[in-house]
């Protein structure tokens, strides 16, 4: 949802979105014994294939493929409910105009681009700390330095002027030194109805 929101913001504010790889599988690999069984299974089996495919696409075809591939994967996995099957991942590669043979990286146990994946993850997570998940966004702060946050977690993805107001609010909180968190309990799951 956050990715859909920020793409909407790109239409109504003068921003340029740069995509970066972060992996919940990497983030949680040393915490598996503390996770509930269903989430633990996701982190150990279903989360590695997609992030390997995305990392290989980035390494072989450049950072400009990250946004289109992320969109294609998200649409198939979440909106269409296809999950992280080889078929869904292969179709997402085609949707993003990428070679189908990138799917071979999904099951690569000795992953060729492991160092790049972990370095990208570390770069992103170091901006916000270990106590978060995704999404992570970085925005301009006061004095031009980058301020990163976990969130915003929002559903459905705001559009138009609503997306712009949320962006403006994000910049406003980023401008306050020492601002860290606003949070409330989620009362519903992801809503893809406006996408």
């Amino acid at each position: 949802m956050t990715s859909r929101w920020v793409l909407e913001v790109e239409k109504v504010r003068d921003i340029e979105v740069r995509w970066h790889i972060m992996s919940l599988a990497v983030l949680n690999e040393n915490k598996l014994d503390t996770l509930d069984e269903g989430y633990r299974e996701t982190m150990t089996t279903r989360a590695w294939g997609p992030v390997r495919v995305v990392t290989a696409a980035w390494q072989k075809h450049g950072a400009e493929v990250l946004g289109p591939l992320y969109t294609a994967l998200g649409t198939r996995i979440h909106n269409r409910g296809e999950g992280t099957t080889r078929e869904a991942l292969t179709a997402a590669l085609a949707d993003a105009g990428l070679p189908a043979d990138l799917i071979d990286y999904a099951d690569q146990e000795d992953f060729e681009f492991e160092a790049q994946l972990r370095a990208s993850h570390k770069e992103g997570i170091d901006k916000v700390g270990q106590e978060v998940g995704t999404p992570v966004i970085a925005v301009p702060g006061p004095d031009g330095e980058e301020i990163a946050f976990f969130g915003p977690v929002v559903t459905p993805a705001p559009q138009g002027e609503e997306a712009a107001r949320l962006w403006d609010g994000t910049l406003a909180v980023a401008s306050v030194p020492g601002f860290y968190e606003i949070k409330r309990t989620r009362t519903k799951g992801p809503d893809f109805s406006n996408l």
Side-chain angles (χ1 to χ4, degrees):
M1 292 301 163
T2 302
S3 70
R4 302 308 87 189
W5 162 70
V6 80
L7 287 176
E8 185 71 14
V9 173
E10 197 173 39
K11 297 175 188 174
V12 295
R13 291 291 187 263
D14 186 22
I15 70 165
E16 180 183 341
V17 177
R18 288 175 303 173
W19 300 94
H20 192 87
I21 296 174
M22 181 190 166
S23 169
L24 287 175
V26 172
L27 181 70
N28 291 310
E29 67 187 345
N30 295 321
K31 305 174 193 172
L32 294 176
D33 57 338
T34 66
L35 304 176
D36 73 64
E37 185 178 333
Y39 194 65
R40 182 173 48 250
E41 196 236 327
T42 295
M43 291 302 103
T44 57
T45 60
R46 295 187 306 236
W48 284 104
V51 77
R52 287 177 177 145
V53 169
V54 172
T55 303
W58 164 47
Q59 290 301 297
K60 290 180 160 281
H61 300 281
E64 63 275 2
V65 305
L66 292 175
L69 183 53
Y70 187 78
T71 293
L73 286 165
T75 299
R76 289 195 172 271
I77 293 167
H78 301 295
N79 299 59
R80 296 183 185 169
E82 295 176 18
T84 58
T85 64
R86 283 184 70 84
E87 295 79 16
L89 299 179
T90 302
L93 287 167
D95 295 343
L98 291 164
D101 65 355
L102 287 168
I103 192 63
D104 296 337
Y105 289 94
D107 301 319
Q108 195 179 78
E109 288 193 28
D110 187 18
F111 182 51
E112 178 180 347
F113 303 113
E114 184 84 18
Q116 291 89 340
L117 164 59
R118 290 183 181 280
S120 178
H121 172 84
K122 183 178 182 330
E123 182 182 340
I125 203 69
D126 281 354
K127 293 177 183 187
V128 292
Q130 295 292 321
E131 300 83 33
V132 302
T134 61
V136 170
I137 65 166
V139 301
D143 305 325
E145 80 275 12
E146 196 173 72
I147 305 291
F149 296 108
F150 164 65
V153 176
V154 61
T155 193
Q159 297 182 336
E161 189 52 34
E162 185 179 40
R165 282 194 314 273
L166 181 56
W167 176 256
D168 295 343
T170 302
L171 294 180
V173 298
S175 74
V176 176
F179 174 82
Y180 293 99
E181 184 174 7
I182 294 176
K183 190 167 183 167
R184 66 179 174 167
T185 301
R186 294 182 214 182
T187 58
K188 68 179 198 171
D191 177 352
F192 299 104
S193 62
N194 67 344
L195 300 177

